[in-house]
Amino acid sequence: MTLPALFIAHGSPLLSVESSDYTQFLNQLGERLPAPKAIVVFTAHWDCPVPSVTMDEIHQTLHDFYGYPSAMYNIQYPAVGQTEIANEICALFSRSNLPYQPVHGRGLDHGVWVPLLHMYPEASIPVIAVSVDSLRSPQEQYDIGRMLEQLRHDNVLIVGSGGTVHNLRMLAQDDEPQDWAIEFDDWLGERLQQWNTRELFQYDKKAPHARTAVPSYGMEHIAPLFYAMGTADMSRTARRLFQAYPHGTLSLNCWQFGDGV
């Protein structure tokens, strides 16, 4: 079975305990998709120069955030790993002469488990986390994703978890969407739907408000978009499934890439 790839904005860690239109959407998305045999997540909260892959059969739940309600630090997402798929990822990287690093004992950061908590609350599907490198160009990030495209045709769900507009210094006091955030996402969305990689790969120079939407200290959050997009290079179709702006600027969106349900 072929599954689409997804880009999912994981928002604030508070998403784990919230009930909103977005969490309801994520719950329904998990119900709508055929059950994958494994989930591979490129996560913005694992940023390192060498592509790294979790190899564990059992994952810890990382509470890699500070200053939140104490109950959030008790949340567990006890998904298991899947070494067979992890080894296949490493083999695909090796086949493309891409250096990689198998990692044991890392655990799942909140970029992985927060959205999955709503999509697959029973944590019954094996999960493999893969790092991103925010210093690589979007073209390179896309090309790394493309190396894993065949996994989608073997009932593996590939997710990029991050955020398109994720400037925490620009959050507003209310939820009225800010024009500059909308304009950036609209520019991005038009080119995603056109699969216009020539302009997308230069979003930092061409997109309106790019430096505000994607500040230099937060480039790791848009990176998973390109990794996920690359895994659908053969079909080159993109569809936005959800969009909202809590705090006026924090872009919560979900994109589906490639053929599938």
Side-chain angles (χ1 to χ4, degrees):
M1 178 181 295
T2 297
L3 291 175
L6 299 172
F7 173 77
I8 297 175
H10 61 247
S12 159
L14 285 169
L15 191 71
S16 63
V17 295
E18 289 178 345
S19 177
S20 65
D21 289 346
Y22 189 50
T23 60
Q24 183 178 2
F25 160 77
L26 291 175
N27 183 265
Q28 293 172 346
L29 180 62
E31 293 175 349
R32 178 173 67 82
L33 291 169
K37 72 177 184 181
I39 305 169
V40 174
V41 183
F42 287 100
T43 170
H45 288 278
W46 193 7
D47 189 2
C48 56
V50 178
S52 300
V53 183
T54 57
M55 306 298 293
D56 301 296
E57 288 284 1
I58 299 175
H59 294 297
Q60 299 178 41
T61 302
L62 299 179
H63 302 93
D64 51 333
F65 41 79
Y66 305 94
Y68 287 89
S70 58
M72 292 177 57
Y73 299 92
N74 296 322
I75 297 174
Q76 297 295 313
Y77 190 76
V80 299
Q82 170 53 273
T83 54
E84 181 181 350
I85 301 295
N87 283 325
E88 187 173 356
I89 293 170
C90 293
L92 291 169
F93 285 160
S94 180
R95 189 179 304 170
S96 297
N97 297 314
L98 179 71
Y100 63 89
Q101 179 66 50
V103 174
H104 297 268
R106 179 181 187 272
L108 301 179
D109 61 65
H110 76 273
V112 179
W113 66 261
V114 166
L116 294 185
L117 184 67
H118 293 288
M119 292 179 67
Y120 303 104
E122 296 181 356
S124 58
I125 301 171
V127 177
I128 302 97
V130 183
S131 67
V132 300
D133 181 1
S134 62
L135 297 182
R136 290 182 188 265
S137 68
Q139 171 79 71
E140 291 175 300
Q141 295 162 354
Y142 181 100
D143 288 344
I144 291 173
R146 187 166 56 177
M147 295 174 192
L148 305 187
E149 183 163 10
Q150 73 179 57
L151 295 178
R152 291 182 39 247
H153 304 290
D154 192 25
N155 200 29
V156 174
L157 179 63
I158 300 181
V159 175
S161 174
T164 52
V165 181
H166 197 86
N167 188 338
L168 301 184
R169 298 176 185 174
M170 297 295 290
L171 299 182
Q173 295 299 313
D174 57 44
D175 292 339
E176 181 66 28
Q178 300 293 300
D179 289 344
W180 64 266
I182 296 172
E183 289 171 14
F184 176 80
D185 270 341
D186 284 352
W187 184 95
L188 205 66
E190 288 176 6
R191 283 141 188 87
L192 286 169
Q193 290 169 328
Q194 297 164 358
W195 213 267
N196 184 347
T197 55
R198 182 179 61 84
E199 291 200 354
L200 279 169
F201 293 162
Q202 302 180 69
Y203 78 89
D204 57 330
K205 301 178 182 65
K206 293 182 174 293
H209 315 290
R211 295 190 182 278
T212 305
V214 186
S216 59
Y217 61 84
M219 294 173 62
E220 74 284 346
H221 273 78
I222 199 171
L225 176 77
F226 298 112
Y227 285 92
M229 188 183 183
T231 69
D233 180 73
M234 293 296 291
S235 51
R236 300 194 169 199
T237 59
R239 181 161 62 100
R240 182 158 50 192
L241 305 181
F242 189 92
Q243 182 70 66
Y245 294 94
H247 303 289
T249 63
L250 184 60
S251 182
L252 294 183
N253 54 26
C254 178
W255 282 88
Q256 174 178 310
F257 300 121
D259 300 326
V261 293

